[in-house]
Amino acid sequence: MRLKVLLSLVASLSVLAPVAALAQDPTGQTEDVIVDQGVIRPYPIAVLPFAGQNGTELASVIRGDLRRSGFFDPLDPNSFIETGLSLANRPNFPQWTSVGAQAVLYGSVTPRPDGRNDFGFRLYDPYRQCQLAAYQFTATPEQWRRIAHKIADVVYGRMTGEQGLFDSRVIFVAESGTQLNRVSRLAIMDQDGYLPVFLTQGDEVIMSPRFSVSNPDEITYVALGKDYSRIYLYNLTTGRRESLGEFDGQVLAPRFSNDGSKVAFSIIRGGNTDIYVMDLGTRQLSRLTSDPGIDTSPSFSPDGSQIVFNSDRSGTPRLYVMRSDGSGQRAISRGGGVYTAPAWSPTGNLIAFTKQGGGRFSTGIMNVDGSGERLLSSSYFEEGPSWAPNGRYVMFARQTRAGDTRLWTVDLSGRVVAQSGYDGRGSDPAWSPLLDEQPAGLGVTQGADSCPT
C-alpha cells in the first residue's frame, strides 16, 4: 500500500427486458427521508419473502442493500403478522403499523412460457394506506440477484428522491501473500461483494483500475512487470486486453474521460512526472503539465471540461484544477497536510481525496473550488476514494497496523462507515456507473390509489 502511495506521488448483464408497470404510481415527492440533512434514525421497512423461485433469497439481497445504505432499517421477518401477500392484494395496514413498518415491500416471481421470469413487486405506505410503487421486471431466472439490486434501487429512489446505486459493480486489486511477497490480481465483484472474479493471474503488479463511465464493460489499469509498466484497456465482456502503447518512462494513474474518448495519466520521465491525455480514437498523446514538481492522479469533471490532479509543485502535495487542455492550473486545497488521490464526483459538485496529517490518513470531500472541506473517515491508513454512481457514498481501502487491507465505504454525512461485503484483502477500488440506463417503463407515473404528494 505504501509503495503505491509513493508511486502515485511520483506518478453484464444487458439483456433485461423492458420494465412494465404493474399499476399506476405517483410522481409526487414524499418527505419520509431527508437525504441532504442525513438520517438520524433509519427508516423501518418490511421486506417480505417473494413468492416463487429464489423469492426468499431475493428479498434477503434487497434487505442487505437497503440496510447498508444507512437510510433503512429492514425489520425482522419473524415479527411480521401478515404473511403470504400476493400482488393482487393490498396489505392489512393496521397489522403493519402495529409492528412499526413505515413501508411494506412484497412481490412474486412468476415463470413465463419462454423460460424467463416475471419479477413483480409493490411498495406501500401503511400509515397513509397508499401505494408508493409497483413494477414488473422480466429476466432470466439466473438474473434474480441483479433484479434484487434493481428493485432495491427503485425503493431507494422512491423513498429518498435520489438515484440508486445497487445495480453496479466494483473493480479492485485483490491482494494475497505477505507484505514482502505480495500478489495482486485485478478483480471484479457486485457492489455488495458477491461473486468476486479474478481477471489477471497475479504475475504482474496491478494498480489503479478504473471504469469507463460511458461503457461499464470497459476498464483501464496499470500493470507493472519486471521491466515494464503499461496501461491496458480491458473489455469485461470479451476479455480482450489492449495496451495503450510503450512509453518512455513509467506510467501511472489512468482515468477515462466521462465520454470514454480519452484517457488521462501520468508519465515519470527524466526525473519529472507530468500528466498526459491520449485520444483513444487517434492515439494522439498531449502533454498537459510541465511543472518541475510531481503531477499525477488526474480525474475529469463529469462534463469533461476540467481535470483535478495532485501536485507537489508548492513543496507539499496539494490538489489542483485545470481545464482539460492543461490551461488555467490553480490550487484548490487550502488546509494543512498532504492531499492525494482526488476523484471528481459523478454529480459534479464535489471532489473526494485522501489526506495525511496528524499521524493519520483520512478520506475527505470538498467543493470543486476547495471550500467546504470535510473529513468523512480517518484511520491508521486509508487511501483511494471512489464514488458510488449516485454520488452519495465513497469506497476506499483501509489498512491496519498489521498490514491487513480491506475495502470500506462511507456516506457523505460520515455517519455510515462500514467494511464492504467482500471478505478478502483488497485495495484500489473503483465503483462502476449503474450497469445500464433505466428503461423508460421504470418511470414513476401517478395513479388513482397512489400516495398523495
Side-chain angles (χ1 to χ4, degrees):
M1 294 287 286
R2 294 189 181 281
L3 172 62
K4 289 186 292 181
V5 172
L6 292 173
L7 285 174
S8 69
L9 288 175
V10 299
S12 149
L13 298 171
S14 60
V15 292
L16 293 175
V19 179
L22 285 175
Q24 297 298 306
D25 306 304
T27 55
Q29 296 292 322
T30 68
E31 296 181 355
D32 297 322
V33 179
I34 303 174
V35 177
D36 289 341
Q37 298 177 14
V39 178
I40 297 175
R41 182 179 178 183
Y43 194 86
I45 183 171
V47 181
L48 282 76
F50 280 40
Q53 183 180 9
N54 297 118
T56 299
E57 296 89 347
L58 187 146
S60 178
V61 171
I62 295 171
R63 290 190 205 102
D65 282 346
L66 297 178
R67 181 180 292 110
R68 283 190 303 276
S69 75
F71 289 120
F72 297 90
D73 179 19
L75 302 177
D76 183 352
N78 292 323
S79 70
F80 299 167
I81 300 172
E82 183 176 35
T83 59
L85 272 170
S86 72
L87 293 174
N89 299 324
R90 288 157 60 97
N92 184 321
F93 298 122
Q95 292 190 6
W96 293 106
T97 57
S98 69
V99 299
Q102 295 187 33
V104 181
L105 176 71
Y106 60 98
S108 66
V109 182
T110 306
R112 295 164 56 101
D114 62 6
R116 295 181 298 167
N117 285 339
D118 288 334
F119 299 80
F121 68 95
R122 294 183 185 274
L123 179 68
Y124 271 89
D125 182 331
Y127 285 90
R128 292 189 289 170
Q129 301 188 6
C130 54
Q131 182 174 277
L132 291 163
Y135 301 103
Q136 177 176 294
F137 290 93
T138 299
T140 63
E142 295 76 18
Q143 291 177 292
W144 69 267
R145 179 174 283 273
R146 182 171 177 203
I147 294 298
H149 293 318
K150 294 184 81 67
I151 293 173
D153 277 335
V154 173
V155 175
Y156 181 96
R158 180 65 181 90
M159 305 307 291
T160 69
E162 289 193 344
Q163 184 187 54
L165 68 148
F166 306 116
D167 184 27
S168 60
R169 296 184 287 183
V170 174
I171 51 172
F172 63 102
V173 178
E175 299 181 351
S176 59
T178 66
Q179 289 283 19
L180 296 179
N181 187 26
R182 187 174 68 91
V183 176
S184 67
R185 290 181 290 176
L186 183 66
I188 188 168
M189 63 184 179
D190 289 353
Q191 54 78 27
D192 59 354
Y194 180 76
L195 195 62
V197 176
F198 302 113
L199 304 175
T200 60
Q201 301 302 313
D203 53 350
E204 298 173 310
V205 175
I206 304 300
M207 297 174 58
S208 306
R210 296 292 182 266
F211 277 98
S212 168
V213 175
S214 63
N215 181 4
D217 271 345
E218 292 285 339
I219 63 172
T220 184
Y221 65 93
V222 170
L224 302 180
K226 292 183 178 180
D227 56 359
Y228 65 86
S229 67
R230 294 181 185 139
I231 296 175
Y232 286 106
L233 302 180
Y234 187 99
N235 186 282
L236 295 170
T237 298
T238 65
R240 182 175 184 268
R241 187 170 89 157
E242 175 187 5
S243 171
L244 288 189
E246 299 296 328
F247 300 96
D248 179 18
Q250 182 173 333
V251 290
L252 297 169
R255 195 182 294 257
F256 286 100
S257 60
N258 275 29
D259 64 2
S261 66
K262 301 178 180 67
V263 171
F265 55 94
S266 294
I267 302 178
I268 305 174
R269 181 181 293 164
N272 192 33
T273 304
D274 284 304
I275 295 172
Y276 295 75
V277 64
M278 175 177 282
D279 185 301
L280 294 179
T282 64
R283 296 303 171 97
Q284 180 177 351
L285 188 66
S286 302
R287 183 175 179 174
L288 301 186
T289 66
S290 57
D291 192 272
I294 298 169
D295 301 330
T296 188
S297 301
S299 175
F300 285 91
S301 62
D303 65 3
S305 65
Q306 300 181 82
I307 294 174
V308 62
F309 64 102
N310 169 216
S311 177
D312 70 349
R313 62 184 64 181
S314 66
T316 301
R318 300 173 66 188
L319 302 187
Y320 289 74
V321 167
M322 61 182 167
R323 299 185 188 94
S324 58
D325 62 1
S327 64
Q329 298 177 22
R330 65 192 188 281
I332 60 169
S333 55
R334 302 170 183 176
V338 173
Y339 293 82
T340 58
W344 212 301
S345 166
T347 58
N349 61 328
L350 294 170
I351 292 170
F353 56 88
T354 299
K355 185 175 182 179
Q356 180 184 3
R360 294 172 69 81
F361 286 76
S362 302
T363 298
I365 57 172
M366 64 174 65
N367 297 326
V368 298
D369 63 356
S371 64
E373 179 179 322
R374 288 191 293 123
L375 300 183
L376 306 178
S377 168
S378 295
S379 64
Y380 167 71
F381 183 82
E382 55 191 59
E383 67 168 351
S386 176
W387 290 95
N390 66 354
R392 173 61 56 179
Y393 304 85
V394 174
M395 185 175 288
F396 58 95
R398 176 181 284 184
Q399 187 183 83
T400 66
R401 290 182 182 273
D404 187 50
T405 306
R406 306 283 172 157
L407 303 181
W408 287 69
T409 58
V410 62
D411 75 329
L412 291 188
S413 72
R415 179 182 61 85
V416 183
V417 186
Q419 188 174 322
S420 74
Y422 179 64
D423 60 5
R425 290 160 52 192
S427 61
D428 271 346
W431 214 319
S432 80
L434 291 178
L435 296 185
D436 59 9
E437 293 296 326
Q438 303 291 14
L442 195 59
V444 180
T445 55
Q446 191 167 2
D449 68 343
S450 63
C451 287
T453 302

